Amino acid sequence: MSNPFKQTRKRPGEWIMEWSIRLVASASIVMIFLILLFVMREAATLFVSAEATTEATSTPSAGSNMEPESYNPDAPAEAAASEPDVYNPEAEDPTTTQQQGEPGAPGQFIYASKNPKYPEIYNPDTGLLPEDIDVVAEDQAEVDTTRKTSVLSKLTGDQWQPVGDVPKFGVKPLLIGTLKTTTIAILIGAPLGILAALYVAFFAKRRVREVVKPAIELLAGFPSVVIGFFCLVTVASFIQDITGAPYRLNAVVGGIGLALAVIPIVFSIAEDALSAVPKTLREASLALGSTEWQTAYRVMLPAAAPGVFAAVLLGIGRAFGETMIAIMATGNAPLSSFSPLEPARTVAATIGSEMGEVVWGSEHYGVLFFMGVLLFVFSFGLNAVTELYVKKRLIKKFQGQ
Amino acid sequence: MQTSTSSMPLPKRLIGFFAVTIALTAAVAVLGIILGMVGSFVSNGGGGVTWTFLSEFPRNNNTEGGIWPALAGTTLLVLLMTILGVPVGTATAIYLTEFAKQDSWFARSVRFAVNTLAGVPSIVFGLFGVGFFIQFMGNGIDGWLGTSSFGDGSLLWSAATLAVLTLPVVIVAVEEALRAVPRDLREASLALGATRWQTIVKVVVPNAVTGILTGSILAVGRGAGEVAAILFVGVTYSSESIPSAVTEKFMHLGYHLFVLSTQSPDVDLTLPLQYATTLVLLGLTFLLNLTAILIRSRLRKR
């Protein structure tokens, strides 16, 4: 709505005010750059000063973490022998873990299980799952070489053990976990959101629509901790009852939680797109003798397809970036397993749960920021695709054909 | 708009019935989940929300007592966030509706940036808070003033982080309100000899006050429930007092719930507290969102 009345004379005070408004308006653009710049700046410690970060990595105060400095590369056998003390399988026992993380110790994350038989515990101090233990001994021989290998080869490893004698920053299990939970969330959330939007846009009577639409949009206002809590206490038990899954918290529970976050987004964008389809299309279809449902599914839905596609893309963006639901409901074990009934650990949840206990400036810190850059770039890409590609197609579809 | 369905062959009618039913089922399922969630919180936590629960400090490692500091911390946080974020959001919205030529590259980039900002995962804002506000600005201020209180997580930096996070919410809401101000009003004002700036300050903005209010309320609702972005920017699990300076750490309702439900030594023991906290948090955001939706629907009718 640009002003048609060209202002020729301006008072100096007003001129200043108008330009300061313009300046403030650029804040969003500036913020995008600042986010990228400063998240990258913190991640850059990884790539720039490899030697400095090696120093920092070994500073965590917890006793076992001091080990790396004392490791003698000439005596791998000795190191291996001392292992059992440090990597005590017992550490996976819920009771031990609870002692370590004294109630409310800052930054300590205890994923206490209600069922001691199946602890969904990922111990941040050892970063180990039971099956990893035997692998560690072999790794000791590589202490020296691992330290010197490039950052990239570290990141592409198969294991995520950020706090250990040989920290491993393989993001593969985290990517698998993210993929797993996001896929489940979209498989559940997208159809529900789109079909509900279809119902509200075409089949519901006006009075029903005026209740249903704001009700579903209210779900968007649910804080993600609340959804996470609901999954933790209610959905997890329900899923375990019907599937008999060995782990109470797993990718399905997390996926359902993420789906609850995805549904309102998919719903409102898809509903917008469906309502934006010109009335003439609908009337033409009905005039040709097709029924309401034929019109809805064969005319309106295809016409709004780019918008619906955008809804799904933004839903994906929400699902992979969601942190609290993922921390609370997925079980948080960095497994490289594609099984939906096993726990998963997403990239966002890893940042959320480990950032609090990491030494600022350390290698681990840099890796977490690097994953932040990945999340940012991915969400930026998704948004760019929806903005530049999908919207253009939508406009073309409705105006040109 | 019923067409002659009865003239169709039976299989087609069945498909039609199925097609409508499946859409209806999806809508009902979503509503059912929402009602089930709210119902479970109300029935399990309803009894726990008492005056003492709201007004007491937590005791005994968060296993007894109330949520007063969390409630107060959340309130202070969103107030500070509103002060920092709403003026910027409003100014951006004014620029987009009143000044910008819609197809200029600058207006388009602002719009693109706003949409992008809305899609950035909240955990990335948390990292940004650490990298920019604490490490860069906080340490910078400390080095400059010789203090040591800014280079750590605090109420101020959390509020600043949330202000950036909620910026798109404010911009979209205010922009919608500004667009709802009739063009006639602007033209009448200009015709009477007012300058563009006078028109904006004296005619457009006063008419869009409800919209600015809606934007602020929506932002507050979003900020009150946001945990991931402030996880490492100043929130704390336990506090002896209500923060008295912006450089202090604070408790937060959402984070309190997170701590109670995942980091407490005995999760079952505090389950009633968790439900009650959930109910308070949800009630708060629910009320805020409902208010915004109601104001908005009134605005749209006008």
Side-chain angles (χ1 to χ4, degrees), chain B residues 35-74:
Chain B
L35 282 180
M37 248 163 106
V38 175
S40 119
F41 296 145
V42 171
S43 65
N44 288 303
V49 184
T50 58
W51 175 246
T52 43
F53 178 71
L54 294 176
S55 63
E56 273 186 7
F57 272 74
R59 289 188 309 269
N60 211 350
N61 265 324
N62 288 343
T63 54
E64 287 168 37
I67 51 165
W68 169 237
L71 209 52
T74 310

mmCIF file of all heavy atoms in Angstrom, chain B residues 35-74:
data_model
loop_
_atom_site.group_PDB
_atom_site.id
_atom_site.type_symbol
_atom_site.label_atom_id
_atom_site.label_comp_id
_atom_site.label_asym_id
_atom_site.label_seq_id
_atom_site.Cartn_x
_atom_site.Cartn_y
_atom_site.Cartn_z
ATOM 1 N N LEU B 35 -8.235 -32.090 23.184
ATOM 2 C CA LEU B 35 -9.103 -32.202 24.353
ATOM 3 C C LEU B 35 -8.544 -33.211 25.354
ATOM 4 O O LEU B 35 -8.549 -32.980 26.563
ATOM 5 C CB LEU B 35 -10.513 -32.636 23.928
ATOM 6 C CG LEU B 35 -11.379 -31.529 23.336
ATOM 7 C CD1 LEU B 35 -12.747 -32.067 22.952
ATOM 8 C CD2 LEU B 35 -11.533 -30.386 24.346
ATOM 9 N N GLY B 36 -8.005 -34.338 24.827
ATOM 10 C CA GLY B 36 -7.437 -35.353 25.702
ATOM 11 C C GLY B 36 -6.270 -34.802 26.506
ATOM 12 O O GLY B 36 -6.153 -35.044 27.718
ATOM 13 N N MET B 37 -5.427 -34.043 25.828
ATOM 14 C CA MET B 37 -4.281 -33.446 26.509
ATOM 15 C C MET B 37 -4.731 -32.507 27.612
ATOM 16 O O MET B 37 -4.326 -32.639 28.771
ATOM 17 C CB MET B 37 -3.461 -32.644 25.492
ATOM 18 C CG MET B 37 -2.123 -33.201 25.177
ATOM 19 S SD MET B 37 -1.540 -32.458 23.667
ATOM 20 C CE MET B 37 -0.325 -31.383 24.282
ATOM 21 N N VAL B 38 -5.601 -31.574 27.228
ATOM 22 C CA VAL B 38 -6.069 -30.596 28.217
ATOM 23 C C VAL B 38 -6.793 -31.313 29.353
ATOM 24 O O VAL B 38 -6.562 -31.028 30.538
ATOM 25 C CB VAL B 38 -6.991 -29.552 27.543
ATOM 26 C CG1 VAL B 38 -7.582 -28.616 28.577
ATOM 27 C CG2 VAL B 38 -6.221 -28.765 26.505
ATOM 28 N N GLY B 39 -7.634 -32.306 28.982
ATOM 29 C CA GLY B 39 -8.377 -33.050 29.995
ATOM 30 C C GLY B 39 -7.459 -33.746 30.980
ATOM 31 O O GLY B 39 -7.681 -33.687 32.197
ATOM 32 N N SER B 40 -6.401 -34.374 30.449
ATOM 33 C CA SER B 40 -5.491 -35.089 31.348
ATOM 34 C C SER B 40 -4.783 -34.119 32.297
ATOM 35 O O SER B 40 -4.591 -34.414 33.471
ATOM 36 C CB SER B 40 -4.494 -35.910 30.520
ATOM 37 O OG SER B 40 -3.179 -35.504 30.747
ATOM 38 N N PHE B 41 -4.428 -32.941 31.791
ATOM 39 C CA PHE B 41 -3.758 -31.971 32.667
ATOM 40 C C PHE B 41 -4.716 -31.431 33.726
ATOM 41 O O PHE B 41 -4.352 -31.287 34.892
ATOM 42 C CB PHE B 41 -3.197 -30.802 31.850
ATOM 43 C CG PHE B 41 -2.125 -31.202 30.891
ATOM 44 C CD1 PHE B 41 -2.005 -30.585 29.663
ATOM 45 C CD2 PHE B 41 -1.232 -32.220 31.220
ATOM 46 C CE1 PHE B 41 -1.008 -30.970 28.777
ATOM 47 C CE2 PHE B 41 -0.238 -32.601 30.334
ATOM 48 C CZ PHE B 41 -0.136 -31.986 29.113
ATOM 49 N N VAL B 42 -5.959 -31.160 33.299
ATOM 50 C CA VAL B 42 -6.914 -30.592 34.257
ATOM 51 C C VAL B 42 -7.252 -31.614 35.340
ATOM 52 O O VAL B 42 -7.233 -31.312 36.531
ATOM 53 C CB VAL B 42 -8.194 -30.119 33.534
ATOM 54 C CG1 VAL B 42 -9.268 -29.748 34.544
ATOM 55 C CG2 VAL B 42 -7.882 -28.922 32.648
ATOM 56 N N SER B 43 -7.501 -32.873 34.917
ATOM 57 C CA SER B 43 -7.921 -33.855 35.917
ATOM 58 C C SER B 43 -6.772 -34.227 36.850
ATOM 59 O O SER B 43 -6.975 -34.478 38.030
ATOM 60 C CB SER B 43 -8.497 -35.097 35.236
ATOM 61 O OG SER B 43 -7.477 -35.740 34.510
ATOM 62 N N ASN B 44 -5.534 -34.254 36.330
ATOM 63 C CA ASN B 44 -4.413 -34.630 37.194
ATOM 64 C C ASN B 44 -3.819 -33.455 37.958
ATOM 65 O O ASN B 44 -3.220 -33.644 39.013
ATOM 66 C CB ASN B 44 -3.309 -35.278 36.372
ATOM 67 C CG ASN B 44 -3.681 -36.662 35.899
ATOM 68 O OD1 ASN B 44 -4.004 -37.523 36.702
ATOM 69 N ND2 ASN B 44 -3.665 -36.861 34.603
ATOM 70 N N GLY B 45 -3.936 -32.276 37.387
ATOM 71 C CA GLY B 45 -3.253 -31.141 38.014
ATOM 72 C C GLY B 45 -4.194 -30.135 38.637
ATOM 73 O O GLY B 45 -3.750 -29.249 39.378
ATOM 74 N N GLY B 46 -5.498 -30.276 38.346
ATOM 75 C CA GLY B 46 -6.463 -29.290 38.830
ATOM 76 C C GLY B 46 -6.414 -29.087 40.327
ATOM 77 O O GLY B 46 -6.458 -27.957 40.817
ATOM 78 N N GLY B 47 -6.287 -30.199 41.061
ATOM 79 C CA GLY B 47 -6.282 -30.092 42.517
ATOM 80 C C GLY B 47 -5.018 -29.451 43.067
ATOM 81 O O GLY B 47 -5.012 -28.924 44.179
ATOM 82 N N GLY B 48 -3.940 -29.522 42.267
ATOM 83 C CA GLY B 48 -2.657 -29.027 42.769
ATOM 84 C C GLY B 48 -2.485 -27.521 42.673
ATOM 85 O O GLY B 48 -1.627 -26.953 43.325
ATOM 86 N N VAL B 49 -3.299 -26.899 41.830
ATOM 87 C CA VAL B 49 -3.132 -25.461 41.639
ATOM 88 C C VAL B 49 -3.894 -24.709 42.731
ATOM 89 O O VAL B 49 -5.078 -24.447 42.626
ATOM 90 C CB VAL B 49 -3.627 -25.027 40.241
ATOM 91 C CG1 VAL B 49 -3.363 -23.551 40.020
ATOM 92 C CG2 VAL B 49 -2.941 -25.839 39.175
ATOM 93 N N THR B 50 -3.211 -24.403 43.800
ATOM 94 C CA THR B 50 -3.827 -23.670 44.901
ATOM 95 C C THR B 50 -3.079 -22.356 45.073
ATOM 96 O O THR B 50 -2.053 -22.134 44.439
ATOM 97 C CB THR B 50 -3.721 -24.470 46.198
ATOM 98 O OG1 THR B 50 -2.334 -24.728 46.447
ATOM 99 C CG2 THR B 50 -4.468 -25.781 46.108
ATOM 100 N N TRP B 51 -3.579 -21.513 45.957
ATOM 101 C CA TRP B 51 -2.929 -20.235 46.181
ATOM 102 C C TRP B 51 -1.522 -20.448 46.731
ATOM 103 O O TRP B 51 -0.580 -19.775 46.332
ATOM 104 C CB TRP B 51 -3.765 -19.365 47.108
ATOM 105 C CG TRP B 51 -3.073 -18.085 47.446
ATOM 106 C CD1 TRP B 51 -2.621 -17.698 48.671
ATOM 107 C CD2 TRP B 51 -2.698 -17.048 46.528
ATOM 108 N NE1 TRP B 51 -2.002 -16.478 48.580
ATOM 109 C CE2 TRP B 51 -2.024 -16.050 47.268
ATOM 110 C CE3 TRP B 51 -2.856 -16.866 45.148
ATOM 111 C CZ2 TRP B 51 -1.520 -14.900 46.693
ATOM 112 C CZ3 TRP B 51 -2.340 -15.714 44.568
ATOM 113 C CH2 TRP B 51 -1.686 -14.735 45.334
ATOM 114 N N THR B 52 -1.393 -21.403 47.666
ATOM 115 C CA THR B 52 -0.060 -21.642 48.240
ATOM 116 C C THR B 52 0.903 -22.132 47.164
ATOM 117 O O THR B 52 2.077 -21.770 47.162
ATOM 118 C CB THR B 52 -0.108 -22.688 49.369
ATOM 119 O OG1 THR B 52 -0.952 -23.756 48.957
ATOM 120 C CG2 THR B 52 -0.604 -22.095 50.666
ATOM 121 N N PHE B 53 0.397 -22.954 46.229
ATOM 122 C CA PHE B 53 1.253 -23.455 45.150
ATOM 123 C C PHE B 53 1.775 -22.303 44.304
ATOM 124 O O PHE B 53 2.944 -22.280 43.911
ATOM 125 C CB PHE B 53 0.453 -24.441 44.288
ATOM 126 C CG PHE B 53 1.220 -24.992 43.119
ATOM 127 C CD1 PHE B 53 2.247 -25.900 43.312
ATOM 128 C CD2 PHE B 53 0.916 -24.595 41.824
ATOM 129 C CE1 PHE B 53 2.956 -26.401 42.235
ATOM 130 C CE2 PHE B 53 1.626 -25.101 40.744
ATOM 131 C CZ PHE B 53 2.643 -26.000 40.956
ATOM 132 N N LEU B 54 0.914 -21.342 44.058
ATOM 133 C CA LEU B 54 1.312 -20.223 43.215
ATOM 134 C C LEU B 54 2.205 -19.227 43.955
ATOM 135 O O LEU B 54 3.011 -18.538 43.346
ATOM 136 C CB LEU B 54 0.075 -19.483 42.701
ATOM 137 C CG LEU B 54 -0.830 -20.257 41.750
ATOM 138 C CD1 LEU B 54 -2.068 -19.445 41.401
ATOM 139 C CD2 LEU B 54 -0.085 -20.617 40.477
ATOM 140 N N SER B 55 2.082 -19.163 45.288
ATOM 141 C CA SER B 55 2.746 -18.069 46.000
ATOM 142 C C SER B 55 3.957 -18.512 46.820
ATOM 143 O O SER B 55 4.622 -17.684 47.423
ATOM 144 C CB SER B 55 1.745 -17.375 46.918
ATOM 145 O OG SER B 55 1.301 -18.300 47.887
ATOM 146 N N GLU B 56 4.251 -19.822 46.847
ATOM 147 C CA GLU B 56 5.383 -20.267 47.659
ATOM 148 C C GLU B 56 6.624 -20.551 46.828
ATOM 149 O O GLU B 56 6.536 -20.839 45.642
ATOM 150 C CB GLU B 56 5.001 -21.546 48.420
ATOM 151 C CG GLU B 56 4.322 -21.260 49.736
ATOM 152 C CD GLU B 56 4.101 -22.548 50.503
ATOM 153 O OE1 GLU B 56 4.584 -23.610 50.066
ATOM 154 O OE2 GLU B 56 3.441 -22.465 51.550
ATOM 155 N N PHE B 57 7.768 -20.510 47.481
ATOM 156 C CA PHE B 57 9.012 -20.945 46.853
ATOM 157 C C PHE B 57 9.057 -22.473 46.864
ATOM 158 O O PHE B 57 8.489 -23.094 47.740
ATOM 159 C CB PHE B 57 10.213 -20.405 47.634
ATOM 160 C CG PHE B 57 10.639 -19.052 47.183
ATOM 161 C CD1 PHE B 57 9.878 -17.932 47.503
ATOM 162 C CD2 PHE B 57 11.787 -18.883 46.441
ATOM 163 C CE1 PHE B 57 10.259 -16.673 47.088
ATOM 164 C CE2 PHE B 57 12.175 -17.614 46.021
ATOM 165 C CZ PHE B 57 11.417 -16.511 46.341
ATOM 166 N N PRO B 58 9.743 -23.073 45.907
ATOM 167 C CA PRO B 58 9.916 -24.524 45.970
ATOM 168 C C PRO B 58 10.809 -24.881 47.162
ATOM 169 O O PRO B 58 11.707 -24.117 47.510
ATOM 170 C CB PRO B 58 10.595 -24.878 44.649
ATOM 171 C CG PRO B 58 10.842 -23.637 43.924
ATOM 172 C CD PRO B 58 10.390 -22.478 44.745
ATOM 173 N N ARG B 59 10.527 -26.027 47.761
ATOM 174 C CA ARG B 59 11.355 -26.450 48.887
ATOM 175 C C ARG B 59 11.948 -27.819 48.601
ATOM 176 O O ARG B 59 11.458 -28.558 47.754
ATOM 177 C CB ARG B 59 10.497 -26.552 50.163
ATOM 178 C CG ARG B 59 10.039 -25.227 50.728
ATOM 179 C CD ARG B 59 9.374 -25.444 52.072
ATOM 180 N NE ARG B 59 8.345 -26.478 52.020
ATOM 181 C CZ ARG B 59 7.066 -26.236 51.768
ATOM 182 N NH1 ARG B 59 6.662 -25.019 51.564
ATOM 183 N NH2 ARG B 59 6.193 -27.213 51.727
ATOM 184 N N ASN B 60 12.979 -28.153 49.362
ATOM 185 C CA ASN B 60 13.483 -29.515 49.362
ATOM 186 C C ASN B 60 13.852 -29.993 47.953
ATOM 187 O O ASN B 60 13.341 -31.014 47.478
ATOM 188 C CB ASN B 60 12.398 -30.424 49.969
ATOM 189 C CG ASN B 60 13.026 -31.591 50.693
ATOM 190 O OD1 ASN B 60 14.233 -31.800 50.575
ATOM 191 N ND2 ASN B 60 12.229 -32.327 51.417
ATOM 192 N N ASN B 61 14.744 -29.268 47.311
ATOM 193 C CA ASN B 61 15.165 -29.650 45.959
ATOM 194 C C ASN B 61 14.029 -29.754 44.968
ATOM 195 O O ASN B 61 13.933 -30.729 44.206
ATOM 196 C CB ASN B 61 15.880 -30.999 45.996
ATOM 197 C CG ASN B 61 17.361 -30.804 46.083
ATOM 198 O OD1 ASN B 61 17.891 -29.872 45.485
ATOM 199 N ND2 ASN B 61 18.012 -31.645 46.852
ATOM 200 N N ASN B 62 13.169 -28.796 44.978
ATOM 201 C CA ASN B 62 12.044 -28.770 44.040
ATOM 202 C C ASN B 62 11.068 -29.928 44.201
ATOM 203 O O ASN B 62 10.342 -30.244 43.277
ATOM 204 C CB ASN B 62 12.536 -28.763 42.581
ATOM 205 C CG ASN B 62 13.145 -27.439 42.196
ATOM 206 O OD1 ASN B 62 12.944 -26.429 42.865
ATOM 207 N ND2 ASN B 62 13.901 -27.443 41.113
ATOM 208 N N THR B 63 11.065 -30.591 45.352
ATOM 209 C CA THR B 63 10.120 -31.694 45.484
ATOM 210 C C THR B 63 8.875 -31.280 46.255
ATOM 211 O O THR B 63 7.905 -32.032 46.329
ATOM 212 C CB THR B 63 10.748 -32.902 46.203
ATOM 213 O OG1 THR B 63 11.279 -32.464 47.458
ATOM 214 C CG2 THR B 63 11.833 -33.528 45.364
ATOM 215 N N GLU B 64 8.899 -30.125 46.889
ATOM 216 C CA GLU B 64 7.727 -29.629 47.611
ATOM 217 C C GLU B 64 7.580 -28.143 47.319
ATOM 218 O O GLU B 64 8.441 -27.530 46.717
ATOM 219 C CB GLU B 64 7.912 -29.807 49.129
ATOM 220 C CG GLU B 64 7.808 -31.241 49.608
ATOM 221 C CD GLU B 64 8.293 -31.357 51.056
ATOM 222 O OE1 GLU B 64 8.034 -30.429 51.845
ATOM 223 O OE2 GLU B 64 8.946 -32.358 51.368
ATOM 224 N N GLY B 65 6.490 -27.598 47.850
ATOM 225 C CA GLY B 65 6.320 -26.151 47.741
ATOM 226 C C GLY B 65 5.718 -25.725 46.424
ATOM 227 O O GLY B 65 5.113 -26.531 45.717
ATOM 228 N N GLY B 66 5.907 -24.454 46.101
ATOM 229 C CA GLY B 66 5.193 -23.893 44.953
ATOM 230 C C GLY B 66 6.087 -23.472 43.813
ATOM 231 O O GLY B 66 7.199 -23.989 43.650
ATOM 232 N N ILE B 67 5.567 -22.545 43.012
ATOM 233 C CA ILE B 67 6.271 -22.153 41.795
ATOM 234 C C ILE B 67 6.424 -20.646 41.698
ATOM 235 O O ILE B 67 6.657 -20.114 40.614
ATOM 236 C CB ILE B 67 5.522 -22.655 40.545
ATOM 237 C CG1 ILE B 67 4.059 -22.234 40.616
ATOM 238 C CG2 ILE B 67 5.652 -24.144 40.392
ATOM 239 C CD1 ILE B 67 3.339 -22.370 39.293
ATOM 240 N N TRP B 68 6.276 -19.937 42.825
ATOM 241 C CA TRP B 68 6.284 -18.477 42.773
ATOM 242 C C TRP B 68 7.482 -17.897 42.018
ATOM 243 O O TRP B 68 7.295 -17.063 41.121
ATOM 244 C CB TRP B 68 6.142 -17.897 44.184
ATOM 245 C CG TRP B 68 6.407 -16.431 44.251
ATOM 246 C CD1 TRP B 68 7.326 -15.808 45.025
ATOM 247 C CD2 TRP B 68 5.747 -15.396 43.503
ATOM 248 N NE1 TRP B 68 7.290 -14.458 44.810
ATOM 249 C CE2 TRP B 68 6.340 -14.169 43.875
ATOM 250 C CE3 TRP B 68 4.748 -15.385 42.536
ATOM 251 C CZ2 TRP B 68 5.956 -12.949 43.331
ATOM 252 C CZ3 TRP B 68 4.364 -14.169 41.984
ATOM 253 C CH2 TRP B 68 4.956 -12.966 42.381
ATOM 254 N N PRO B 69 8.723 -18.295 42.337
ATOM 255 C CA PRO B 69 9.839 -17.664 41.616
ATOM 256 C C PRO B 69 9.806 -17.938 40.112
ATOM 257 O O PRO B 69 10.200 -17.076 39.318
ATOM 258 C CB PRO B 69 11.087 -18.263 42.259
ATOM 259 C CG PRO B 69 10.632 -19.456 42.985
ATOM 260 C CD PRO B 69 9.206 -19.259 43.343
ATOM 261 N N ALA B 70 9.315 -19.117 39.731
ATOM 262 C CA ALA B 70 9.221 -19.427 38.300
ATOM 263 C C ALA B 70 8.182 -18.539 37.626
ATOM 264 O O ALA B 70 8.394 -18.022 36.522
ATOM 265 C CB ALA B 70 8.870 -20.902 38.103
ATOM 266 N N LEU B 71 7.073 -18.350 38.320
ATOM 267 C CA LEU B 71 6.009 -17.505 37.796
ATOM 268 C C LEU B 71 6.500 -16.066 37.659
ATOM 269 O O LEU B 71 6.315 -15.419 36.618
ATOM 270 C CB LEU B 71 4.821 -17.566 38.767
ATOM 271 C CG LEU B 71 3.419 -17.363 38.226
ATOM 272 C CD1 LEU B 71 3.137 -18.281 37.064
ATOM 273 C CD2 LEU B 71 2.401 -17.594 39.333
ATOM 274 N N ALA B 72 7.171 -15.574 38.711
ATOM 275 C CA ALA B 72 7.674 -14.208 38.696
ATOM 276 C C ALA B 72 8.764 -14.041 37.642
ATOM 277 O O ALA B 72 8.781 -13.049 36.896
ATOM 278 C CB ALA B 72 8.210 -13.828 40.067
ATOM 279 N N GLY B 73 9.667 -15.042 37.555
ATOM 280 C CA GLY B 73 10.741 -14.974 36.572
ATOM 281 C C GLY B 73 10.198 -14.933 35.159
ATOM 282 O O GLY B 73 10.645 -14.142 34.321
ATOM 283 N N THR B 74 9.186 -15.790 34.881
ATOM 284 C CA THR B 74 8.589 -15.806 33.550
ATOM 285 C C THR B 74 7.970 -14.450 33.231
ATOM 286 O O THR B 74 8.128 -13.913 32.130
ATOM 287 C CB THR B 74 7.509 -16.905 33.464
ATOM 288 O OG1 THR B 74 8.060 -18.115 33.953
ATOM 289 C CG2 THR B 74 7.035 -17.099 32.053
#
